[in-house]
Amino acid sequence: MNPNDQRRLLSDVDDFCQEIREHEELCYVEHRFNHHLIPLAQKFNILGMLVPAEYGGRGADVVTYARALARIGREGTGVRTFFSGHSSIGQYPILTWGNEEQKRRYLPPSCKGDKVLAFGLTEPEAGSNPLEMQMTYERQGDRFILNGVKYLISNAGIANTIVTFAYPVEGPRLISAFIIDTDGAGFSCEDLVAKMGMPTANTGMFELSNYVAPAANLLGEEGQGFRIAMGTLVSGRLSVAAGCLGVIEDCLCEAVTYAKERQQHGKAIAKHQLVQEHIAAIEMHRLSSEALVSKAAEAKETSAQNPGDGVLASRAELLCAQAKLFTSQAAWDAADRAVQVFGGRGWSTLYRPGRHLQDVRVCRIYEGTDEILKLKIAAAVLGGKEFVAFK
Ligand SMILES: Cc1cc2nc3c(=O)[nH]c(=O)nc-3n(C[C@H](O)[C@H](O)[C@H](O)COP(=O)(O)OP(=O)(O)OC[C@H]3O[C@@H](n4cnc5c(N)ncnc54)[C@H](O)[C@@H]3O)c2cc1C
């Protein structure tokens, strides 16, 4: 991406963020989905940031895209999660493994916002281990019949198209990936509302009941689904890490401003040393997270430019896992400290730190839990297949 296009994209993202803020705050307090998000994202043309111009997108490189997601992350994990679901794990697998016809059919409308995308891997009985999934498909002539349930899926209730995964009823037990249109017969979806945070974002579960997908909607080769899912999660993890960096930046900004304004014991609380300890800790989280996100994004970009290079792909995968593990824990701690600086007001969701604290917790769960990422990192450091904790 040339520097002018890069500047323009980041400026559009910033304008979007400034306009979304008041709507997000109101919707949050009223605990309802933010219906302004997609129209505003359309207005600033930021629904296809990582999609090349030939398919209707902005053609951002990975580093620029990560910076955009960090900016969006400041507006809340719910807002950023929409973009992760739609782009990082929705458009990304179609862009990476889709054939030309699939790219032409799905990417341009998704960049315009005419189609919202989602990624459905998790099931009620298969989370950390997707190999335990129960969704099935059966080939019948030139179509596939799918049956099963996917659970905890970002954007599921607002999506027009979902990339999903299933085992064959017969034959080798290898997962395949499919592109599902949600207006097809046999698709039903339910919003999940009993959530700890992200009330303005959509999270749903969907069922496919004798759902018919044309053979043309098989994504990649039959049996390639697990690889597609794992490859997509690398992109997803980077998006979570970038979003968490944004959360930390916003917590720092809020804590600094409030600490300078709030007076107790005859002076600004920013002059009390124990409050300064919180500021210093959040700043260290910000700095370390920024470095890790940059490093991971650069590695992912290098890998994208050298397809087929397994060493570069493994390096990017590890760095994205490391960035996601670190930044999601750092963002949780930063939000907790910002809440503490705000005192009683911090505990209210009328203020930004309290909302960040509620929302960012999920970042230590989705796209690979803390535990799964630690096992992955340890296995990579130890080296050798005998140290892989699980298959
Ligand atoms: C708001 C939200 C949005 C989401 N969006 C999506 C989405 O868009 N698409 C999608 O496919 N999924 C999505 N998910 C699902 C998410 O990825 C899963 O919740 C996550 O992978 C964990 O799976 P699980 O909930 O089944 O927990 P489990 O796998 O049951 O894990 C429970 C606990 O056991 C631990 N554990 C499991 N196995 C091991 C092990 N081998 N060693 C050590 N500890 C272990 C876990 O770390 C965790 O602490 C979303 C989840 C949430 C909450």
Side-chain angles (χ1 to χ4, degrees):
M1 190 177 217
N2 72 50
N4 279 342
D5 289 348
Q6 188 182 48
R7 256 194 308 277
R8 211 167 298 128
L9 175 60
L10 293 174
S11 157
D12 287 340
V13 167
D14 192 55
D15 289 345
F16 161 82
C17 288
Q18 290 187 35
E19 283 201 30
I20 197 77
R21 185 169 285 203
E22 61 176 308
H23 300 296
E24 183 64 14
E25 294 193 345
L26 188 60
C27 293
Y28 201 104
V29 171
E30 294 178 355
H31 261 68
R32 59 183 166 87
F33 177 72
N34 186 349
H35 285 286
H36 297 273
L37 197 157
I38 295 168
L40 276 179
Q42 285 174 313
K43 175 178 168 186
F44 292 103
N45 187 19
I46 56 168
L47 286 161
M49 288 187 270
L50 54 68
V51 175
E54 60 177 309
Y55 300 113
R58 303 287 294 259
D61 56 80
V62 184
V63 175
T64 306
Y65 180 54
R67 284 176 62 192
L69 288 176
R71 176 62 190 92
I72 292 169
R74 292 179 71 155
E75 302 313 312
T77 299
V79 182
R80 195 272 308 149
T81 295
F82 165 79
F83 284 92
S84 292
H86 177 71
S87 294
S88 305
I89 56 178
Q91 291 168 330
Y92 180 87
I94 297 176
L95 189 59
T96 310
W97 291 278
N99 58 36
E100 196 53 31
E101 197 271 323
Q102 290 167 339
K103 290 184 198 176
R104 297 261 165 232
R105 188 146 46 104
Y106 289 102
L107 294 177
S110 72
C111 294
K112 280 196 200 133
D114 295 338
K115 274 189 194 298
V116 170
L117 303 188
F119 170 86
L121 179 66
T122 306
E123 296 186 3
E125 305 306 328
S128 296
N129 186 7
L131 291 171
E132 286 165 348
M133 75 172 60
Q134 294 171 5
M135 184 169 275
T136 61
Y137 73 89
E138 192 172 9
R139 191 166 200 142
Q140 286 185 359
D142 60 354
R143 57 193 207 159
F144 294 101
I145 313 296
L146 285 101
N147 280 288
V149 173
K150 297 290 176 182
Y151 178 55
L152 285 168
I153 307 304
S154 303
N155 298 348
I158 55 168
N160 306 93
T161 299
I162 305 178
V163 172
T164 199
F165 301 86
Y167 276 116
V169 170
E170 286 175 351
R173 208 171 142 69
L174 292 171
I175 294 168
S176 291
F178 300 89
I179 304 172
I180 295 298
D181 295 316
T182 59
D183 59 1
F187 178 91
S188 57
C189 185
E190 198 180 305
D191 289 345
L192 300 171
V193 289
K195 304 189 287 186
M196 244 173 86
M198 300 204 302
T200 63
N202 181 272
T203 318
M205 65 189 289
F206 68 88
E207 179 168 10
L208 300 180
S209 178
N210 290 324
Y211 177 96
V212 179
N217 282 32
L218 175 71
L219 182 61
E221 307 282 316
E222 207 171 342
Q224 208 190 359
F226 189 67
R227 227 188 95 204
I228 293 175
M230 293 302 109
T232 301
L233 286 179
V234 179
S235 166
R237 284 171 188 156
L238 181 60
S239 76
V240 176
C244 286
L245 169 60
V247 169
I248 298 168
E249 288 171 348
D250 198 49
C251 287
L252 184 63
C253 176
E254 289 291 312
V256 165
T257 306
Y258 188 79
K260 285 182 179 170
E261 279 168 13
R262 176 71 175 165
Q263 304 273 328
Q264 283 298 285
H265 298 276
K267 57 184 177 185
I269 60 168
K271 292 187 176 164
H272 296 304
Q273 291 179 356
L274 292 177
V275 172
Q276 291 190 356
E277 195 259 337
H278 290 307
I279 303 290
I282 301 173
E283 163 59 9
M284 291 313 295
H285 286 328
R286 187 200 62 75
L287 194 62
S288 328
S289 296
E290 188 180 61
L292 269 175
V293 168
S294 293
K295 201 166 171 170
E298 279 160 18
K300 183 90 183 70
E301 176 64 29
T302 308
S303 167
Q305 284 173 12
N306 295 278
D309 186 324
V311 175
L312 290 178
S314 298
R315 183 168 182 275
E317 186 181 352
L318 178 60
L319 278 163
C320 289
Q322 289 170 318
K324 197 267 191 186
L325 174 66
F326 183 88
T327 56
S328 57
Q329 293 186 350
W332 167 247
D333 188 61
D336 186 48
R337 287 177 183 276
V339 163
Q340 198 66 20
V341 171
F342 271 59
R345 289 181 181 85
W347 194 62
S348 163
T349 52
L350 290 176
Y351 294 86
R352 302 178 69 74
R355 297 201 292 270
H356 280 310
L357 185 67
Q358 288 196 144
D359 296 347
V360 85
R361 184 63 180 83
V362 76
C363 296
R364 294 179 51 199
I365 298 170
Y366 61 19
E367 308 271 354
T369 61
D370 283 3
E371 292 77 12
I372 294 300
L373 296 181
K374 281 178 190 168
L375 294 174
K376 195 175 184 55
I377 293 164
V381 172
L382 291 163
K385 285 203 165 96
E386 68 270 37
F387 296 108
V388 173
F390 55 87
K391 297 261 178 268

